[in-house]
Amino acid sequence: MSSELQTHLPVARTWFDRAVAFLNAFGSLWVLCIVLLICADSFGRSFFNKPFDGVNEIVAVSMAFVVFCQLADTIRLDKLTRSDSYLPRLQASRSLIARAIVSGFDVLGMAIMIAIIIGTIPLLIESVERGYYVGEAGIFTFPDWPVKAMVVFGSFVATLCFGARAASHWRASGRNDANDA
């Protein structure tokens, strides 16, 4: 790797990490907004017999929105839920094999995210072209495409995070080949 690329790579990684953390924070802020909306709706139902229109629809579409806002940061911070009781023992005895397995999981994660992108892009295009919406016409409607766009964008960023993790594990395994001999 050239020295110029090595100089710019940490800067790009820092900006990427900040962008992913911002996306996570945005998802958390959206959850707070949903909580406040549900509380206000409950208050309106209980005290004024007047619920807010569209709360059910907003909450339903927000689930996918929040998941894909926060997925990349979860991957970046290595906080995805998994069962890895065997990996620590394998890392102690055969670190190269353990890193290859973890890299393989990351590559598989990339493949799944790419499959989600490929499957969602036609739905996104159709949603935009046909003007699909969620809700009841005349009462509350919300366009369908922003959630699908977030699924595509969030999956893309998650793919980059999985790729960075796989490369990191692979580079680390290359440095530790002597330990497994």
Side-chain angles (χ1 to χ4, degrees), residues 54-99:
V55 171
N56 294 340
E57 291 84 358
I58 292 171
V59 171
V61 298
S62 291
M63 294 302 107
F65 188 84
V66 169
V67 166
F68 284 94
C69 272
Q70 297 184 329
L71 180 61
D73 203 36
T74 305
I75 295 163
R76 181 182 68 89
L77 296 173
D78 196 23
K79 299 293 183 186
L80 275 179
T81 303
R82 63 178 178 215
S83 175
D84 61 357
S85 58
Y86 182 67
L87 277 175
R89 287 183 282 173
L90 188 61
Q91 286 173 333
S93 62
R94 299 279 185 210
S95 64
L96 178 63
I97 294 170
R99 285 195 175 103

Side-chain angles (χ1 to χ4, degrees), residues 1-165:
M1 189 180 311
S2 73
S3 63
E4 183 177 324
L5 183 58
Q6 286 177 341
T7 304
H8 294 297
L9 196 57
V11 173
R13 182 69 188 222
T14 300
W15 279 101
F16 180 74
D17 288 348
R18 286 180 186 165
V20 169
F22 174 79
L23 198 57
N24 184 12
F26 181 74
S28 297
L29 184 62
W30 190 253
V31 169
L32 177 64
C33 291
I34 293 300
V35 167
L36 293 174
L37 181 64
I38 291 170
C39 289
D41 181 57
S42 179
F43 185 80
R45 280 179 198 274
S46 297
F47 295 107
F48 302 112
N49 200 23
K50 180 69 175 128
F52 290 130
D53 294 330
V55 171
N56 294 340
E57 291 84 358
I58 292 171
V59 171
V61 298
S62 291
M63 294 302 107
F65 188 84
V66 169
V67 166
F68 284 94
C69 272
Q70 297 184 329
L71 180 61
D73 203 36
T74 305
I75 295 163
R76 181 182 68 89
L77 296 173
D78 196 23
K79 299 293 183 186
L80 275 179
T81 303
R82 63 178 178 215
S83 175
D84 61 357
S85 58
Y86 182 67
L87 277 175
R89 287 183 282 173
L90 188 61
Q91 286 173 333
S93 62
R94 299 279 185 210
S95 64
L96 178 63
I97 294 170
R99 285 195 175 103
I101 290 171
V102 172
S103 293
F105 288 153
D106 291 333
V107 170
L108 185 59
M110 287 175 63
I112 291 168
M113 291 297 112
I114 291 169
I116 290 172
I117 292 168
I118 291 170
T120 307
I121 286 177
L123 300 174
L124 172 61
I125 293 169
E126 182 180 6
S127 180
V128 170
E129 287 177 348
R130 296 189 180 184
Y132 290 158
Y133 61 88
V134 177
E136 188 70 34
I139 297 173
F140 176 84
T141 58
F142 182 78
D144 191 37
W145 68 265
V147 176
K148 288 180 174 40
M150 189 64 230
V151 169
V152 171
F153 181 71
S155 297
F156 175 74
V157 177
T159 301
L160 295 177
C161 287
F162 273 128
R165 281 177 42 85

